[in-house]
Each structure stands twice: as C-alpha cells, then as structure tokens.
Amino acid sequence: EAVDRLTQRFPNLIVSSIAKSLLLIDGSPDEAKLLLEDIDPTEIHIASSLGTFGRLSIRADLLEQGVQALQIAIQKGIELPADRAVLAQVYLTQTDFESAIRAMGRIGLTGGDLSWRLLRLRILVALGQPDEAKLLATSINEQFPSNSEARTILEGN
C-alpha cells in the first residue's frame, strides 16, 4: 500500500521506480527491469537507495547500471555489506578476482554471515592465496562446525 501511494503521488521520482521494482523483482522481473533500465545511477539523489538500486539492477540483468550504483555507494561510504557481497560476486563471476577482493572490503573476514565468509574464501582460492584461504576456512569451520562448504571449497582447488 505504501509503495502504491508513493508511485501514485510521485510517479516520476526515481525512488518510486525503485520501490515498485522491489515489489516486482521476484514475481515480474521483466516489469522490474523496465522500471529500472532508464535510471542513471548518478542521478539518484537519495543516497540510501543507491545500494538497493544496484542490487535490484543486477538481479534484473542490468549489470552495468548495478555495478556502477554499487561502486558509487562504496565510494560514498554508504554501502551495506550486502552491496559489497553482490558486487564481489559479480566480479568473481567475471573472473576479476582482484576487483572482487577489493569489493569485499572487510566483510567476511571474521564473524558475520556465512555466505559472505564463503564468498571471501572462494575469492581467496581463486586468487591463489592458500595460506589466507586456510586461515579463513578454519575460522569458518569454528564458527559453523556443521557446515562443510569451507572444506569443499578448499578441496576443490
């Protein structure tokens, strides 16, 4: 209801398109993409919506816009850990491992979300940093003893 009110009252605002896309991305990703594709990340003036726009754009296969938005959010220091993880995953998929580890920043080093820690581990393995990878895998295994993914990642390479 709040998004409907926002989009009815302010249909031409970027934030309205982003909010509507949040509702559509799972059920109607093509509609979400249509709302997002003409947005220039440099024109987003509500800084806190940059990361959301970036993550949504990447999910809607608008990779260039999404990456640009996440990079801007990181440069401005307003990113969420999820923004960094999504950007790092894009770079990892593109085999740009140096950019992936830079995008991670400090997330996944100690504690925190398992998926972020495993992403960091995958990047370290791809970078050929076995000592750091082993240290991180040990830390992951201590924090999540029932999860075997860290061992699998290490053994896979």
Side-chain angles (χ1 to χ4, degrees), residues 79-92:
E79 82 282 2
L80 298 173
D83 299 335
R84 286 186 168 277
V86 167
L87 184 57
Q89 182 62 55
V90 168
Y91 289 138
L92 179 61

Side-chain angles (χ1 to χ4, degrees), residues 14-73:
I14 291 173
V15 72
S16 297
S17 296
I18 294 170
K20 188 70 172 176
S21 296
L22 275 169
L23 297 178
L24 294 171
I25 195 68
D26 288 325
S28 303
D30 290 337
E31 281 185 67
K33 184 176 184 174
L34 287 172
L35 289 171
L36 297 170
E37 65 188 0
D38 292 328
I39 297 174
D40 177 353
T42 64
E43 297 296 317
I44 297 175
H45 300 295
I46 301 174
S48 60
S49 64
L50 267 169
T52 302
F53 172 76
R55 292 188 315 276
L56 278 170
S57 294
I58 289 169
R59 286 186 62 193
D61 292 324
L62 297 168
L63 209 57
E64 188 175 316
Q65 282 174 250
V67 166
Q68 183 182 11
L70 295 176
Q71 288 171 337
I72 292 169

Side-chain angles (χ1 to χ4, degrees), residues 114-140:
L114 174 61
S115 66
W116 298 340
R117 301 200 74 206
L118 293 171
L119 176 58
R120 177 176 285 281
L121 180 59
R122 285 185 189 92
I123 295 167
L124 290 173
V125 168
L127 282 168
Q129 297 181 0
D131 295 337
E132 292 90 346
K134 287 176 187 169
L135 284 172
L136 181 57
T138 300
S139 174
I140 292 169

Side-chain angles (χ1 to χ4, degrees), residues 133-154:
K134 287 176 187 169
L135 284 172
L136 181 57
T138 300
S139 174
I140 292 169
N141 289 332
E142 289 171 359
Q143 185 182 1
F144 302 97
S146 64
N147 188 291
S148 63
E149 287 182 76
R151 282 184 291 275
T152 304
I153 292 168
L154 278 179

